[in-house]
Amino acid sequence: MDTLSPVRDVPPYLGVGASLSGRVWRERIAARGVSADTLRDITHRLGLMNVAEADFVDPLARFIAGRGVAPDDLQDFLFPTLKALFPEPSSFMDMDTAVSAMLDALERKAKICVFADYDVDGATSAAQLVRWFRHMDHDLTVYVPDRVTEGYGPSNAAFDSLKRQGADLVITVDCGAMAHKALDHAAAIGLDVVVIDHHLMREEPPKALAVVNPNRPGCTSKQGNLAAAGVVFVVLAALNREAEKRGLFTERPKPDLKQWLDLSALGAICDVTALTGFNRALAAQGLKIMSKRQNAGIKALMDVAGDKISAVNLMSTFHSGFVIGPRINAGGRVGRSDLGVRLLSTDDADEAAALAQELDELNRTRRDIEAQVLEDAVHIAETQGLWPTEDPVVIVAHEDWHPGVIGIVAGRLRERWHKPVIIIGIDPISGMGKGSGRSQAGVNLGEAVGAAFESGVLLSGGGHAMAAGLSVERERIPELRRFINDYVTSHVSEADQVEALEVDAILSVKAASRRLYDKLDLLAPYGQGNPEPLLAFADVRVAYAQVMKGGHVRFELQDDSGAKLKGIVWRAEGTPVGDALLRPTGRIHVLGRLKADDYMGRNGVQLEIEDIAQT
């Protein structure tokens, strides 16, 4: 898949330069500079592949071309396989050194500890290693720091504790790439460390036996879109290969790594990584494994979620990211940080059921805390003049906000305000602020936060383009606000600071059929780097609209032919989009995504609205 940079000066689609949510609409293939030749080539090849009826080939070609898929890569995009896309493990810097260190420790029966981050990516990464070493008759210990008392990543105190417990080798997963001080300390106390991570890092790596990270400067793997869970899966392949060379499978079978693809997929999806190339294959094949409910922990979570997914045969990125993922994350946010790893590592159905129930209850608690912080953040932003604002990034801080939900709240407000948002919770005693930010396409928030750290404004900080974390002293928060906004203003064009919605195609209401929805399955799995198709419906009227519980709005659209399309827009009551549906004044243009409507055996479709513009 190619990386297509947005093209400047593309005229707004349907003339929408500012929608009711303040966004500009652009045609995806135009905004991404797709040539007519490329579009024709993809259309021709789709016809030869016979994957869709003739009347669906043109829209599918537009959808595919707009995602940067080159004609020669069409087969791998539509039918991604590990065999075709698996990277050479040794292309990852330090991979061979890391594998040798782990196998050396295994063979001498050393005590090995996995040090994992407390989110889904950390849990799925750790669980893969636990399961591989268990297959090799070697039990790993697992250490997951407490989000509130220890914060993110390795620390001197954590390494001291592991050393006292007799650890010989520590493998950090989804953390460690920027833990220079902690890893210096580990070296000083004689504790060997291997780092497996995917976060942005400095030119000079931390002191460790090996640092395996596709985003490490100088790494030639070209797999920078992988989550840590994906990197770990490649590590397992390298372990299998080297262990076979050492004759370690003479008394036991070589483990079939495909059985753990569900964990890799879950980490990739929940960490919002770009589902392109090899990462797309991991997600696509992993969702198939996940649907078989082979992992006792995932099965227990699917069961405890009840009717939300009980009728689903094949897991999707939605179920992974919005049903399963939040429950795994709940332990690290408002409960015990190791619950997720324990759940995903166990083969005991009873233990899995108990852990899943505990995580489900913690997730309910998390939602209550999140709702209160969200309400507080909106009130503070409005009363302190932080919103509305001309600043490209909104930063809101307050005492006693739970660090386990600030990232979620930042994401909610980013969706509401259509700007990058950083939420900071301040400890009232120490005055230390812990912050989490969420960004949008065009603004690399991790880079901006990293620059603030390098300049001395932050005590710690980093991340990736769409998300970042930081630590800051209370009195320096105004300075941080100025620094981040000045940095984004100077590094990102004014046009790129305005969120743009990229439209895949315009449809008539009649064309929004179940047949089209089913053909769109060829593009799945959807996620970062492969967004779900966004469709436009022009000059339609609102035939019906009603507010539902939770502030959602159900509606029915109608065009001049009399064809109707029903749907929903989430949390729209009291917003300009909701008002346009509930109190229509004329024709509107609508953007949305087709969803299945299988209620009562309908086998139909409905529209999930993203945005509305007045005609």
Side-chain angles (χ1 to χ4, degrees):
M1 181 177 287
D2 295 336
T3 300
L4 295 179
S5 300
V7 177
R8 301 186 186 282
D9 302 323
V10 175
Y13 196 60
L14 294 175
V16 180
S19 68
L20 293 182
S21 65
R23 292 177 282 185
V24 60
W25 297 2
R26 302 197 188 281
E27 184 181 28
R28 190 182 302 276
I29 59 172
R32 298 289 157 176
V34 176
S35 69
D37 288 343
T38 295
L39 187 58
R40 279 194 297 268
D41 196 354
I42 291 176
T43 303
H44 176 66
R45 295 188 190 212
L46 281 174
L48 294 177
M49 293 172 71
N50 198 30
V51 295
E53 297 94 323
D55 53 340
F56 291 125
V57 169
D58 179 69
L60 281 175
R62 290 177 175 273
F63 298 154
I64 292 167
R67 281 146 185 79
V69 180
D72 289 342
D73 296 333
L74 189 57
Q75 179 74 27
D76 286 338
F77 177 78
L78 293 177
F79 310 104
T81 64
L82 296 178
K83 182 178 180 180
L85 297 168
F86 208 100
E88 165 53 49
S90 295
S91 67
F92 288 74
M93 189 178 291
D94 278 3
M95 176 68 80
D96 296 339
T97 303
V99 167
S100 292
M102 286 187 271
L103 289 180
D104 289 346
L106 171 69
E107 290 190 285
R108 69 175 185 268
K109 294 181 171 51
K111 185 171 183 179
I112 306 173
C113 176
V114 180
F115 188 109
D117 188 20
Y118 34 63
D119 68 359
V120 175
D121 194 21
T124 53
S125 297
Q128 289 179 80
L129 285 171
V130 168
R131 289 181 172 276
W132 191 89
F133 277 91
R134 182 188 297 155
H135 179 90
M136 304 300 289
D137 297 323
H138 194 100
D139 290 331
L140 303 188
T141 59
V142 177
Y143 187 102
V144 185
D146 183 272
R147 184 190 292 264
V148 176
T149 60
E150 297 180 82
Y152 170 79
S155 65
N156 292 5
F159 282 146
D160 284 337
S161 176
L162 292 173
K163 182 68 174 178
R164 286 193 300 270
Q165 295 171 36
D168 299 300
L169 174 66
V170 175
I171 306 169
T172 72
V173 290
D174 196 30
C175 59
M178 288 291 287
H180 288 258
K181 292 181 179 179
L183 286 167
D184 284 345
H185 181 72
I189 63 175
L191 184 60
D192 289 336
V193 180
V194 167
V195 174
I196 304 175
D197 204 350
H198 72 123
H199 292 98
L200 299 175
M201 55 184 291
R202 304 176 196 167
E203 188 76 31
E204 184 65 28
K207 188 178 293 185
L209 293 180
V211 179
V212 182
N213 183 343
N215 287 306
R216 175 180 175 178
C219 183
T220 61
S221 67
K222 299 180 181 179
Q223 300 297 324
N225 60 324
L226 290 178
V231 181
V232 169
F233 192 81
V234 179
V235 170
L236 297 189
L239 283 169
N240 263 6
R241 184 169 67 182
E242 180 60 23
E244 189 167 33
K245 289 179 181 178
R246 297 190 185 197
L248 299 183
F249 298 132
T250 57
E251 297 181 0
R252 64 176 62 85
K254 181 168 65 175
D256 180 2
L257 302 184
K258 291 181 181 178
Q259 65 183 307
W260 301 320
L261 274 171
D262 50 2
L263 297 172
S264 296
L266 196 57
I269 293 165
C270 293
D271 222 50
V272 200
T273 57
L275 300 184
T276 59
F278 170 60
N279 205 33
R280 175 172 168 81
L282 277 180
Q285 301 305 321
L287 286 170
K288 294 177 183 178
I289 300 297
M290 199 184 303
S291 301
K292 297 178 181 179
R293 303 190 180 205
Q294 295 175 171
N295 183 290
I298 292 177
K299 180 183 184 302
L301 281 177
M302 293 170 74
D303 291 342
V304 81
D307 60 5
K308 291 185 179 180
I309 55 176
S310 60
V312 176
N313 293 319
L314 184 64
M315 289 285 287
S316 68
T317 52
F318 172 82
H319 302 111
S320 300
F322 294 94
V323 179
I324 302 299
R327 288 171 168 82
I328 296 174
N329 268 331
R333 294 190 185 282
V334 296
R336 299 206 313 276
S337 58
D338 66 342
L339 291 179
V341 182
R342 290 172 54 197
L343 176 76
L344 298 175
S345 301
T346 186
D347 291 321
D348 185 313
D350 291 336
E351 180 185 16
L355 289 170
Q357 186 63 46
E358 184 175 358
L359 285 168
D360 189 57
E361 292 170 0
L362 287 171
N363 193 50
R364 293 193 191 97
T365 300
R366 184 271 304 168
R367 286 198 295 261
D368 292 341
I369 297 172
E370 173 198 329
Q372 186 59 58
V373 173
L374 179 64
E375 181 181 338
D376 291 347
V378 170
H379 175 74
I380 290 169
E382 292 176 348
T383 57
Q384 293 185 2
L386 303 174
W387 179 261
T389 179
E390 296 298 319
D391 289 340
V393 180
V394 182
I395 301 177
V396 187
H398 188 59
E399 289 187 352
D400 282 335
W401 280 344
H402 197 293
V405 302
I406 56 175
I408 303 175
V409 172
R412 296 270 190 246
L413 291 177
R414 195 228 67 80
E415 292 172 5
R416 180 183 298 191
W417 293 337
H418 309 297
K419 286 189 175 187
V421 175
I422 297 174
I423 300 295
I424 301 173
I426 306 169
D427 186 301
I429 298 175
S430 68
M432 292 296 301
K434 297 288 186 181
S436 187
R438 298 294 182 268
S439 194
Q440 65 189 41
V443 180
N444 190 325
L445 190 60
E447 182 181 277
V449 168
F453 171 65
E454 295 290 345
S455 73
V457 176
L458 299 175
L459 295 172
S460 65
H464 49 80
M466 303 302 290
L470 58 88
S471 298
V472 62
E473 296 169 325
R474 185 209 310 261
E475 59 270 18
R476 303 199 73 171
I477 291 174
E479 182 184 359
L480 171 66
R481 187 176 286 115
R482 290 191 299 272
F483 182 95
I484 291 291
N485 280 295
D486 288 347
Y487 184 93
V488 172
T489 299
S490 62
H491 287 76
V492 179
S493 72
E494 186 173 346
D496 288 337
Q497 292 174 31
V498 177
E499 186 178 9
L501 290 173
E502 294 185 346
V503 186
D504 286 287
I506 187 168
L507 294 182
S508 66
V509 171
K510 184 178 180 180
S513 66
R514 184 59 181 246
R515 287 176 64 227
L516 174 60
Y517 173 82
D518 290 341
K519 293 304 175 185
L520 292 179
D521 268 350
L522 285 168
L523 308 181
Y526 301 121
Q528 184 74 16
N530 182 37
E532 196 171 351
L534 189 58
L535 306 170
F537 298 86
D539 295 309
V540 294
R541 296 186 298 274
V542 180
Y544 159 85
Q546 181 182 8
V547 177
M548 309 297 289
K549 182 180 179 180
H552 315 311
V553 177
R554 285 206 170 275
F555 62 86
E556 192 171 60
L557 303 177
Q558 184 174 10
D559 64 12
D560 289 339
S561 74
K564 293 183 178 180
L565 176 63
K566 62 183 179 180
I568 191 167
V569 55
W570 304 108
R571 296 182 293 273
E573 185 181 17
T575 69
V577 167
D579 290 345
L581 294 170
L582 295 167
R583 292 182 286 278
T585 58
R587 296 174 183 266
I588 55 176
H589 301 320
V590 174
L591 286 188
R593 300 172 181 86
L594 288 185
K595 301 292 181 180
D597 179 14
D598 294 324
Y599 183 69
M600 301 286 289
R602 286 180 182 143
N603 194 37
V605 293
Q606 60 180 345
L607 186 69
E608 187 177 286
I609 284 185
E610 173 67 31
D611 202 5
I612 291 176
Q614 302 287 2
T615 61

